[in-house]
């Protein structure tokens, strides 16, 4: 156990914990954030995606010790129902989810994509989402949402 | 005000109108279920016993209530499946919610509307027929401008009404809300992290639980279930913090901890012994397994004399169709919070069947149902019975054990292995055509080994017996929709072989695969167009309309033989049709929406890959309450079902389910999604039909028929993987078999550990050692460290040098204080514990003088005159200058002393005789500081000093002789470190792109070379330590190490990069085989150069020398254990796959990687043995 300071959604959090604890558990259990979800713990599904310094990261297998001092953003930090981030707004408008368990990962992955590339091609979008799984088959609506987000954010 | 929790709370509320129904078997007038409440503030709450499985039924039900009550849709809140508040409407199965349970809800809303209208009529003294309602406001005809809202009409009254079965429902023509797109009400919260899923429930005082499951993963029938536990060794987790309880009941084991990661870690680590588990039926041969499973025939339909007609047919057509085991595959493994108090159990659950779960829990806990309250929350889409209920039993037991609320989260591997599967199914048709090509006889039988999957905790604890239980659900759509001459349909009802329960399209999807494939085969035999042939036997007018509309939609070109769509190169094109109506519920069941598919495919005849180029799907859903929602449902069904048909299959080992994660169970990914065209029949005047599953049902046959159309080859077993299709095409002579693979390599020479072979040679040393040198003298102790002796800068330099020497790497125990020793070092002659290097006077080096320290570093002799073992690399450290040795000494003595007694070494005779090492020293030790080579540059000499001295690189990267000494003639030819291969750094390196000075520096500086890979295994901590050194020193080391290497030519590097690109692209092809699919699903996200950036590096396997090596050990070790602690934080970690991949899955993966990335190298032999050896030595198998 040691003390770790985490920067999450613009706030600072001092915690005492084992540094091999997966970041996901800290975000969910210590900070009470519901956006990132546990899906596999192996980096395979994307449900736990957060941004670390604006790059997507799979929080389920990211020991918290590795992200000390970095800026972590979760779905909650992206926007709120009143002031959604454009990617969130696009997913709501296109109904880019059924059960929505994968939704966090989809939104965060698209947000990371659009942060590094403003006009990705269709192939780039599908490739960026390839490693995010959805059992409900909401893929069509998710792709529409990604494209709508791209248009909304176009420079 | 807190939200009312129970029916009684609701009914006690004033100022509202509630519409209720007497409970089944009610004994008092208060024993009611509520359907609709109109509150005095104008809000409307609707209650439904079903749950939203992610299909948006909450939205549709809200629309129905809004419509019948004439309020705007946003005023309505829908409360779903919750034992205390909602009506018991049975489990949420299939497509019943809208079709069946919406009816009483609509009637309840109509009852409320009628009552409110009657009140208004009285108050306004206007006949009801003259009143109109707009969004809950009742108005008389103009010019009268009075108006009364529902709230006004209710006032302070508390009105309770029974549902009036005669309450008038609105004519469809008047619908304003139903039939329109309604925005999903749940999405804004879901998209911003505000929605509380069951996974997100946190209650005060809550603890975390994890379970440990028995080895018979996914099996729930047999004497051994609940009785296989031998023992739980609690001492195996005694050192872990936060553990509050280990609960063991029968084969049920659960751990409760303060924190989730503590519970998870303990569950992984807990040592449990189990009795041997009996073998499972061989499920690689599903037809035999299902035929041999005991069954009872049940005739579902019989028309005409099937046997006689069959005996006389002109063209017999007996066919067998095989369906594999599928997963429900929820993305979120099941989770529940349970709170057990004296006489009450509260459960926050994602169950699909709250009322059924309550009954199960009552039995498990020995409670009355009335003492159990289940609060139902959104879970991950499950599409049937997954572990959502099981985890409720687990949590209830754990909460009872600790008397506090406990949240239990199943792991991915537990959910996957233990979820009741969507069952394998066997469909057999004995049939035939008459001389005119008409179907004369169709004798269909189905085997569906699946039931309701009894609550796992009840089975594991022995509360219910693990006996075979039969559910009769194999009959759905077992009767084909066609009017064949003689027809018989039989369900062979049977108990499950492995845990299995309903999954979307329950038995109907496989049955329709058979019906729709068979009729396609018959059409082809009869030389009739497949759609025209179906229409001969299809008489249901709405079905016929749908089929014809679909033919129009796709411009269907009638044809009587396959191959009409041609293709080019390796590609063959085809188009297939299938039609089905999903019949659900108790036999004979209720038809849901009609559905038809046209699948367009491209089959690659060389690889066997089937690419879907377009899916057109048509559906007659009757009235669509929310057409946008219906379309969404259709998309979901299409995508999920093509995934099942093309890719999915659960695998088994001899005793249990093997599949535990997504690499071994690939689901469809975004790049594979074909364009989907949806045709929705306009039937808004007809009653609504279930739309949750119908569009899945024709999928398999449509695709099989399309593959037949493309290739002329018929596939009757799912999934249509490239291997299966390729094999089928080969058997049909359409494609030729592949060239044989490279032969396996001869078994590698026996491995040596760092000190392997030493035992052998040591015997000889006995003589040399004892004769040659006596025990050395002890060095006088000093009183203790003198902090004034050395300057801060000397100490700082010493710290850096100690890092270069990796002192802390060996002298720090797992979880121990730095430098306090105690790390066990395994050697062939026993275990040596590293010593305490902190300046504690009792247990550390506090009394060591500098001279004593220098002698240890130079000669390997301790303060007491005893020889040290050369696992301590004094043969390298001896090269260090006096000045540097003194700095290291200064640093060590300046540390905070730690009292740490080191366990005694566990060595056997004669190795426990330390003087033997004197002999070793006489042979191999050249003492004395490094002497610079005047012919070389200063940089080179600096590098040599660091590398050969404190850096001691060659102690791992050079092979050793039988006495454990480095072989001078093979310097840097590669050695072994802690069982890992330390690759060659000389020209013998197998790196696809040879090391250069620049890459060596990058690697030493950052722990990662893009052209080679990251530091892992024992190299990771080395790099971590090197971070203390300045660039200049690392450059010197790289310069020295590269000085003997051949230069890397630009052209050669370009060729290597191009080759790597091609290999990486090939690794992502659908035809990569089982190992390739594991790579794509589990590894590619971090290893495919095309994958999007993720925190950490993307090691390119095409450049990785471990794949080129003669031995697979490093690769296998990395797969098993991952890289939990990268050398440098920003490299990112790699999870270990040991607990989730079986030996044979890892063998598939490793074989694939070798073929794909080292095609010139021979295959690795004996992979299975190597994997189980490495797993046994270093890693525990998972649950
Ligand atoms: S939960 Fe992290 S990737 Fe699946
Ligand atoms: S919407 Fe359910 S998993 Fe994607």
């Amino acid at each position: 156990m040691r003390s770790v300071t985490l920067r999450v959604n613009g706030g600072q959090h001092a915690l005492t914990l084992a540094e091999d604890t997966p970041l996901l558990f800290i975000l969910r259990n210590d900070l009470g954030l519901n956006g990132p979800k546990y899906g596999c713990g192996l980096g395979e599904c994307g449900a736990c995606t957060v941004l670390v310094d604006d790059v997507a990261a799979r929080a389920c297998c990211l020991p918290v010790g590795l992200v000390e001092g970095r800026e972590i953003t979760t779905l909650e930090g992206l926007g709120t129902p009143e002031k959604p981030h454009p990617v969130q707004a696009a997913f709501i408008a296109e109904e880019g989810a059924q059960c929505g368990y994968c939704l966090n990962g989809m939104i965060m992955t698209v947000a990371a994509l659009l942060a590094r590339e403003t006009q990705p091609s269709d192939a780039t979008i599908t490739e960026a989402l390839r490693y995010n799984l959805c059992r409900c088959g909401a893929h069509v609506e998710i792709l529409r949402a990604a494209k709508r987000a791209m248009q909304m954010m176009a420079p | 005000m807190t939200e009312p929790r129970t029916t009684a709370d609701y009914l006690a509320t004033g100022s509202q109108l509630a519409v209720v129904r007497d409970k089944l078997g009610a004994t008092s007038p208060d024993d009611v279920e509520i359907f609709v409440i109109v509150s005095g503030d104008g809000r409307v709450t609707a209650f439904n016993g079903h749950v939203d499985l992610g299909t948006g039924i909450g939205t549709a039900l809200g629309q129905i209530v809004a419509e019948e009550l004439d309020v705007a849709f946003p005023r309505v809140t829908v409360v779903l499946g919750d034992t205390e508040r909602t009506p018991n409407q049975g489990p949420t199965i299939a497509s019943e919610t809208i079709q069946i349970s919406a009816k009483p809800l609509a009637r309840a809303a109509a009852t409320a509307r009628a009552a409110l209208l009657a009140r208004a009529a009285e108050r306004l003294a206007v006949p009801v027929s003259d009143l109109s309602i707009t969004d809950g406001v009742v108005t008389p005809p103009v010019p009268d401008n009075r108006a009364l809202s529902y709230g006004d009409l209710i006032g302070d009254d508390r009105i309770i009404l029974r549902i009036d079965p005669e309450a008038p429902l609105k004519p469809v023509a008047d619908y304003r809300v139903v039939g329109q797109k309604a925005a999903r009400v749940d999405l804004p919260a879901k998209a911003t992290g505000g929605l509380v899923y069951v996974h997100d429930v946190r209650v005060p005082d809550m603890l975390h639980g994890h379970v440990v499951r028995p080895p018979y993963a996914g099996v729930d029938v047999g004497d051994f279930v609940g009785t296989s536990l031998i023992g739980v060794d609690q001492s195996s987790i005694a050192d872990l913090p936060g553990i509050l309880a280990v609960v063991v009941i029968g084969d049920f084991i659960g751990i409760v901890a303060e924190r989730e990661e503590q519970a998870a870690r303990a569950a992984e680590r807990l040592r449990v012994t189990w009795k041997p588990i009996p073998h499972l039926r061989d499920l690689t041969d599903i037809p035999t397994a299902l035929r041999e499973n005991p069954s009872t025939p049940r005739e579902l339909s019989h028309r005409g004399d099937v046997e006689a007609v069959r005996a006389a047919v002109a063209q017999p057509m007996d066919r067998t169709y095989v369906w594999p085991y599928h997963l429900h595959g929820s993305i979120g493994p099941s989770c529940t919070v349970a709170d057990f108090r004296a006489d009450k159990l509260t459960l926050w659950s994602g169950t699909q069947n709250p009322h059924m779960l309550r009954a199960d829990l009552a039995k498990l806990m020995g409670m009355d149902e009335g003492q159990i309250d289940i609060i139902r929350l959104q879970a991950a889409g499950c599409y049937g019975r997954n572990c959502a209920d099981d985890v409720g039993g687990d949590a209830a037991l754990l909460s009872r054990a600790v008397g506090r609320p406990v949240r239990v989260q199943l792991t991915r591997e537990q959910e996957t292995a233990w979820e009741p599967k969507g069952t394998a199914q066997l469909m057999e048709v004995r049939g035939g055509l008459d001389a005119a090509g008409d179907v004369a006889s169709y004798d269909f039988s189905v085997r569906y080994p699946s039931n309701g999957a009894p609550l796992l905790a009840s089975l594991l604890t022995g509360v219910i017996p693990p006996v075979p239980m039969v559910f009769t659900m194999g009959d759905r759509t077992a009767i084909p929709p066609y009017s064949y001459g003689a027809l018989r349909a039989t369900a062979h009802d049977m108990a499950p072989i492995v845990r299995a329960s309903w999954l979307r399209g329950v038995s109907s999807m496989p049955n329709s695969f058979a019906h729709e494939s068979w009729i396609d085969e018959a059409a082809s035999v009869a030389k009739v167009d497949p759609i025209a042939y179906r229409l001969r036997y299809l008489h249901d007018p709405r079905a016929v309309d749908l089929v014809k509309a679909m033919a129009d939609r796709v411009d269907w070109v009638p044809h009587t033989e396959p191959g009409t769509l041609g293709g080019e190169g390796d590609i063959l094109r085809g188009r297939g049709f299938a039609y089905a109506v999903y019949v659900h519920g108790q036999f004979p069941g209720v038809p849901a929406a009609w559905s038809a598919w046209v699948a367009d495919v491209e089959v690659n005849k060389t690889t066997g890959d089937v690419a879907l180029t377009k899916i057109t799907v048509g559906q007659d859903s009757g009235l669509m309450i929310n057409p946008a929602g219906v379309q969404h449902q259709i998309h979901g069904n299409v995508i999920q079902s093509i995934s099942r048909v093309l890719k999915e299959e659960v695998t088994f080992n001899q005793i249990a389910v093997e599949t535990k994660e997504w690499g071994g169970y690939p689901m469809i990914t975004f790049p594979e999604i074909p364009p989907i065209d949806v045709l929705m029949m306009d039937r808004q005047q007809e009653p609504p039909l279930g739309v949750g599953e119908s569009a899945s049902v024709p999928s398999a046959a449509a695709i099989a028929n399309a593959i037949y159309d493309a290739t002329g080859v018929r596939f009757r077993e799912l999934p249509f993987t490239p291997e299966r299709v390729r094999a089928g095409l080969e058997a049909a002579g359409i494609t030729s078999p592949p060239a044989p693979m490279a032969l396996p390599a001869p078994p590698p020479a026996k491995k040596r550990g760092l000190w392997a072979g030493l035992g052998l040679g040591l015997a000889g040393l006995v003589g040399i050692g004892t004769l040659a040198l006596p025990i050395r003298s002890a060095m006088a102790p000093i009183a203790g460290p003198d902090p004034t002796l050395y300057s801060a800068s000397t100490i700082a330099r010493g710290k850096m040098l100690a890092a270069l020497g990796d002192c802390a790497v060996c002298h720090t125990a797992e979880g121990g204080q730095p430098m306090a020793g105690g790390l066990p070092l395994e050697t062939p002659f026993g275990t040596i514990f590293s010593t305490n290097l902190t300046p504690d006077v009792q247990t550390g080096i506090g009394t060591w003088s500098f001279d004593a320290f220098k002698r240890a570093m130079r000669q390997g002799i301790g303060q007491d005159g005893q020889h040290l073992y050369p696992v301590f690399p004094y043969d390298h450290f001896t090269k260090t200058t006096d000045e540097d040795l003194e700095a290291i000494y200064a640093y060590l003595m300046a540390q905070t002393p730690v009292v740490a007694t080191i366990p005694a070494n566990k060595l056997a005779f004669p190795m426990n005789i330390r003087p033997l090492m004197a002999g070793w020293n006489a042979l191999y030790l050249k003492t004395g500081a490094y002497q610079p080579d005047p012919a070389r540059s200063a940089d080179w000499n600096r590098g040599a000093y660091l590398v050969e001295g404190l850096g001691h690189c060659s102690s791992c990267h050079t092979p050793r002789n039988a006495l454990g000494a480095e072989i001078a003639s093979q310097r840097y030819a590669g050695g072994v470190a802690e069982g890992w291969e330390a690759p060659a750094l000389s020209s013998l390196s197998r790196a696809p792109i040879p090391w250069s000075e620049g890459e060596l520096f990058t690697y030493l500086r950052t722990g990662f070379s893009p052209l080679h890979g990251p530091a892992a295994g024992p190299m990771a901590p080395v790099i971590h330590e090197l971070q203390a050194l300045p660039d200049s020193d690392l450059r010197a080391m790289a310069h020295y190490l590269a000085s003997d290497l051949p230069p890397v030519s630009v052209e050669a590097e370009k060729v290597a990069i191009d080759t790597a690109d091609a290999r990486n692209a090939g690794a992502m092809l659908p035809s990569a085989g089982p190992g390739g699919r594991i790579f794509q699903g589990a590894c590619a996200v971090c290893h495919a150069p095309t994958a999007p950036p993720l925190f950490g590096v993307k090691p390119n396997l095409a450049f990785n020398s471990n794949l080129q090596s003669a031995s697979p050990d490093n690769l296998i070790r990395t797969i098993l254990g991952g890289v939990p602690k990268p050398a440098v934080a920003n490299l990112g970690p790699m999870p270990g796959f040991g607990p989730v991949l079986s030996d044979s899955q890892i063998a598939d993966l490793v074989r694939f990687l070798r073929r794909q990335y080292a095609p010139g190298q021979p295959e690795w032999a004996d992979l299975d043995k190597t994997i189980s050896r490495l797993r046994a030595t270093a890693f525990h198998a998972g649950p």
Side-chain angles (χ1 to χ4, degrees), chain A residues 97-103 133-138 142, chain B residues 331 381 383:
Chain A
Q98 288 197 27
C99 76
Y101 202 86
C102 66
L103 181 57
L133 301 179
C134 171
R135 187 46 161 176
C136 301
I142 291 168
Chain B
I331 295 299
Y383 303 99

PDB file of all heavy atoms in Angstrom, chain A residues 97-103 133-138 142, chain B residues 331 381 383, ligand 2:
ATOM      1  N   ALA A  97     -26.835   2.671 -28.978  1.00  0.00           N
ATOM      2  CA  ALA A  97     -26.698   1.641 -27.938  1.00  0.00           C
ATOM      3  C   ALA A  97     -28.020   0.914 -27.786  1.00  0.00           C
ATOM      4  O   ALA A  97     -29.076   1.472 -28.080  1.00  0.00           O
ATOM      5  CB  ALA A  97     -26.346   2.263 -26.590  1.00  0.00           C
ATOM      6  N   GLN A  98     -27.936  -0.316 -27.327  1.00  0.00           N
ATOM      7  CA  GLN A  98     -29.147  -0.965 -26.843  1.00  0.00           C
ATOM      8  C   GLN A  98     -29.042  -1.043 -25.321  1.00  0.00           C
ATOM      9  O   GLN A  98     -29.441  -0.126 -24.638  1.00  0.00           O
ATOM     10  CB  GLN A  98     -29.337  -2.311 -27.529  1.00  0.00           C
ATOM     11  CG  GLN A  98     -29.760  -2.067 -28.984  1.00  0.00           C
ATOM     12  CD  GLN A  98     -30.358  -3.274 -29.643  1.00  0.00           C
ATOM     13  OE1 GLN A  98     -30.925  -4.144 -29.013  1.00  0.00           O
ATOM     14  NE2 GLN A  98     -30.233  -3.323 -30.960  1.00  0.00           N
ATOM     15  N   CYS A  99     -28.429  -2.103 -24.804  1.00  0.00           N
ATOM     16  CA  CYS A  99     -28.299  -2.127 -23.346  1.00  0.00           C
ATOM     17  C   CYS A  99     -27.360  -1.031 -22.869  1.00  0.00           C
ATOM     18  O   CYS A  99     -27.470  -0.528 -21.772  1.00  0.00           O
ATOM     19  CB  CYS A  99     -27.795  -3.491 -22.866  1.00  0.00           C
ATOM     20  SG  CYS A  99     -26.028  -3.761 -23.125  1.00  0.00           S
ATOM     21  N   GLY A 100     -26.403  -0.674 -23.718  1.00  0.00           N
ATOM     22  CA  GLY A 100     -25.513   0.430 -23.376  1.00  0.00           C
ATOM     23  C   GLY A 100     -24.308   0.044 -22.538  1.00  0.00           C
ATOM     24  O   GLY A 100     -23.543   0.902 -22.127  1.00  0.00           O
ATOM     25  N   TYR A 101     -24.129  -1.239 -22.301  1.00  0.00           N
ATOM     26  CA  TYR A 101     -22.983  -1.630 -21.470  1.00  0.00           C
ATOM     27  C   TYR A 101     -21.662  -1.315 -22.189  1.00  0.00           C
ATOM     28  O   TYR A 101     -20.675  -0.971 -21.559  1.00  0.00           O
ATOM     29  CB  TYR A 101     -23.052  -3.113 -21.102  1.00  0.00           C
ATOM     30  CG  TYR A 101     -22.236  -3.441 -19.874  1.00  0.00           C
ATOM     31  CD1 TYR A 101     -22.773  -3.291 -18.596  1.00  0.00           C
ATOM     32  CD2 TYR A 101     -20.921  -3.872 -19.976  1.00  0.00           C
ATOM     33  CE1 TYR A 101     -22.025  -3.561 -17.462  1.00  0.00           C
ATOM     34  CE2 TYR A 101     -20.166  -4.145 -18.846  1.00  0.00           C
ATOM     35  CZ  TYR A 101     -20.728  -3.991 -17.595  1.00  0.00           C
ATOM     36  OH  TYR A 101     -19.971  -4.261 -16.473  1.00  0.00           O
ATOM     37  N   CYS A 102     -21.687  -1.455 -23.495  1.00  0.00           N
ATOM     38  CA  CYS A 102     -20.474  -1.169 -24.268  1.00  0.00           C
ATOM     39  C   CYS A 102     -20.313   0.312 -24.564  1.00  0.00           C
ATOM     40  O   CYS A 102     -19.303   0.736 -25.106  1.00  0.00           O
ATOM     41  CB  CYS A 102     -20.515  -1.922 -25.597  1.00  0.00           C
ATOM     42  SG  CYS A 102     -21.826  -1.337 -26.696  1.00  0.00           S
ATOM     43  N   LEU A 103     -21.367   1.080 -24.255  1.00  0.00           N
ATOM     44  CA  LEU A 103     -21.449   2.461 -24.741  1.00  0.00           C
ATOM     45  C   LEU A 103     -20.283   3.324 -24.269  1.00  0.00           C
ATOM     46  O   LEU A 103     -19.740   4.131 -25.028  1.00  0.00           O
ATOM     47  CB  LEU A 103     -22.795   3.050 -24.295  1.00  0.00           C
ATOM     48  CG  LEU A 103     -23.113   4.477 -24.711  1.00  0.00           C
ATOM     49  CD1 LEU A 103     -23.067   4.637 -26.213  1.00  0.00           C
ATOM     50  CD2 LEU A 103     -24.497   4.873 -24.185  1.00  0.00           C
ATOM     51  N   LEU A 133     -16.241  -4.514 -28.328  1.00  0.00           N
ATOM     52  CA  LEU A 133     -17.267  -5.509 -28.620  1.00  0.00           C
ATOM     53  C   LEU A 133     -18.639  -5.022 -28.166  1.00  0.00           C
ATOM     54  O   LEU A 133     -18.765  -4.321 -27.161  1.00  0.00           O
ATOM     55  CB  LEU A 133     -16.944  -6.818 -27.903  1.00  0.00           C
ATOM     56  CG  LEU A 133     -15.594  -7.447 -28.271  1.00  0.00           C
ATOM     57  CD1 LEU A 133     -15.381  -8.723 -27.468  1.00  0.00           C
ATOM     58  CD2 LEU A 133     -15.522  -7.739 -29.767  1.00  0.00           C
ATOM     59  N   CYS A 134     -19.659  -5.428 -28.917  1.00  0.00           N
ATOM     60  CA  CYS A 134     -21.034  -5.121 -28.551  1.00  0.00           C
ATOM     61  C   CYS A 134     -21.864  -6.366 -28.800  1.00  0.00           C
ATOM     62  O   CYS A 134     -21.907  -6.862 -29.923  1.00  0.00           O
ATOM     63  CB  CYS A 134     -21.569  -3.965 -29.393  1.00  0.00           C
ATOM     64  SG  CYS A 134     -23.334  -3.707 -29.174  1.00  0.00           S
ATOM     65  N   ARG A 135     -22.502  -6.901 -27.776  1.00  0.00           N
ATOM     66  CA  ARG A 135     -23.296  -8.108 -27.959  1.00  0.00           C
ATOM     67  C   ARG A 135     -24.669  -7.794 -28.531  1.00  0.00           C
ATOM     68  O   ARG A 135     -25.301  -8.649 -29.137  1.00  0.00           O
ATOM     69  CB  ARG A 135     -23.451  -8.841 -26.623  1.00  0.00           C
ATOM     70  CG  ARG A 135     -24.128 -10.202 -26.737  1.00  0.00           C
ATOM     71  CD  ARG A 135     -23.560 -11.013 -27.880  1.00  0.00           C
ATOM     72  NE  ARG A 135     -23.814 -12.430 -27.806  1.00  0.00           N
ATOM     73  CZ  ARG A 135     -23.450 -13.284 -28.770  1.00  0.00           C
ATOM     74  NH1 ARG A 135     -22.817 -12.853 -29.849  1.00  0.00           N
ATOM     75  NH2 ARG A 135     -23.700 -14.569 -28.649  1.00  0.00           N
ATOM     76  N   CYS A 136     -25.150  -6.594 -28.292  1.00  0.00           N
ATOM     77  CA  CYS A 136     -26.511  -6.273 -28.721  1.00  0.00           C
ATOM     78  C   CYS A 136     -26.594  -5.997 -30.216  1.00  0.00           C
ATOM     79  O   CYS A 136     -27.683  -5.827 -30.750  1.00  0.00           O
ATOM     80  CB  CYS A 136     -27.021  -5.073 -27.947  1.00  0.00           C
ATOM     81  SG  CYS A 136     -27.033  -5.367 -26.171  1.00  0.00           S
ATOM     82  N   GLY A 137     -25.477  -5.893 -30.879  1.00  0.00           N
ATOM     83  CA  GLY A 137     -25.520  -5.612 -32.321  1.00  0.00           C
ATOM     84  C   GLY A 137     -25.950  -4.189 -32.626  1.00  0.00           C
ATOM     85  O   GLY A 137     -26.667  -3.948 -33.587  1.00  0.00           O
ATOM     86  N   ALA A 138     -25.512  -3.256 -31.808  1.00  0.00           N
ATOM     87  CA  ALA A 138     -25.857  -1.847 -32.062  1.00  0.00           C
ATOM     88  C   ALA A 138     -24.873  -1.192 -33.029  1.00  0.00           C
ATOM     89  O   ALA A 138     -24.828   0.030 -33.152  1.00  0.00           O
ATOM     90  CB  ALA A 138     -25.904  -1.084 -30.743  1.00  0.00           C
ATOM     91  N   ILE A 142     -24.074   2.733 -33.901  1.00  0.00           N
ATOM     92  CA  ILE A 142     -22.819   3.257 -33.342  1.00  0.00           C
ATOM     93  C   ILE A 142     -21.987   3.916 -34.447  1.00  0.00           C
ATOM     94  O   ILE A 142     -21.444   5.006 -34.271  1.00  0.00           O
ATOM     95  CB  ILE A 142     -22.027   2.124 -32.643  1.00  0.00           C
ATOM     96  CG1 ILE A 142     -22.759   1.689 -31.373  1.00  0.00           C
ATOM     97  CG2 ILE A 142     -20.595   2.561 -32.326  1.00  0.00           C
ATOM     98  CD1 ILE A 142     -22.251   0.393 -30.752  1.00  0.00           C
TER      99      ILE A 142
ATOM    100  N   ILE B 331     -21.726  -8.542 -22.486  1.00  0.00           N
ATOM    101  CA  ILE B 331     -20.443  -7.841 -22.381  1.00  0.00           C
ATOM    102  C   ILE B 331     -20.079  -7.596 -20.917  1.00  0.00           C
ATOM    103  O   ILE B 331     -18.910  -7.539 -20.564  1.00  0.00           O
ATOM    104  CB  ILE B 331     -20.491  -6.533 -23.197  1.00  0.00           C
ATOM    105  CG1 ILE B 331     -20.643  -6.865 -24.691  1.00  0.00           C
ATOM    106  CG2 ILE B 331     -19.258  -5.677 -22.981  1.00  0.00           C
ATOM    107  CD1 ILE B 331     -19.520  -7.670 -25.275  1.00  0.00           C
ATOM    108  N   GLY B 381     -26.880  -6.466 -21.877  1.00  0.00           N
ATOM    109  CA  GLY B 381     -27.790  -7.248 -22.710  1.00  0.00           C
ATOM    110  C   GLY B 381     -27.428  -8.727 -22.630  1.00  0.00           C
ATOM    111  O   GLY B 381     -26.276  -9.100 -22.792  1.00  0.00           O
ATOM    112  N   TYR B 383     -29.941 -11.538 -23.562  1.00  0.00           N
ATOM    113  CA  TYR B 383     -30.612 -12.339 -24.596  1.00  0.00           C
ATOM    114  C   TYR B 383     -30.926 -13.750 -24.148  1.00  0.00           C
ATOM    115  O   TYR B 383     -30.905 -14.691 -24.939  1.00  0.00           O
ATOM    116  CB  TYR B 383     -29.815 -12.280 -25.905  1.00  0.00           C
ATOM    117  CG  TYR B 383     -29.683 -10.838 -26.293  1.00  0.00           C
ATOM    118  CD1 TYR B 383     -28.530 -10.119 -26.023  1.00  0.00           C
ATOM    119  CD2 TYR B 383     -30.775 -10.153 -26.795  1.00  0.00           C
ATOM    120  CE1 TYR B 383     -28.466  -8.753 -26.272  1.00  0.00           C
ATOM    121  CE2 TYR B 383     -30.726  -8.797 -27.047  1.00  0.00           C
ATOM    122  CZ  TYR B 383     -29.570  -8.111 -26.788  1.00  0.00           C
ATOM    123  OH  TYR B 383     -29.518  -6.769 -27.021  1.00  0.00           O
TER     124      TYR B 383
HETATM  125  S1  LIG C   2     -25.430  -2.094 -26.525  1.00  0.00           S
HETATM  126 FE1  LIG C   2     -25.393  -3.889 -25.336  1.00  0.00          FE
HETATM  127  S2  LIG C   2     -23.357  -4.479 -25.525  1.00  0.00           S
HETATM  128 FE2  LIG C   2     -23.476  -2.860 -26.896  1.00  0.00          FE
END
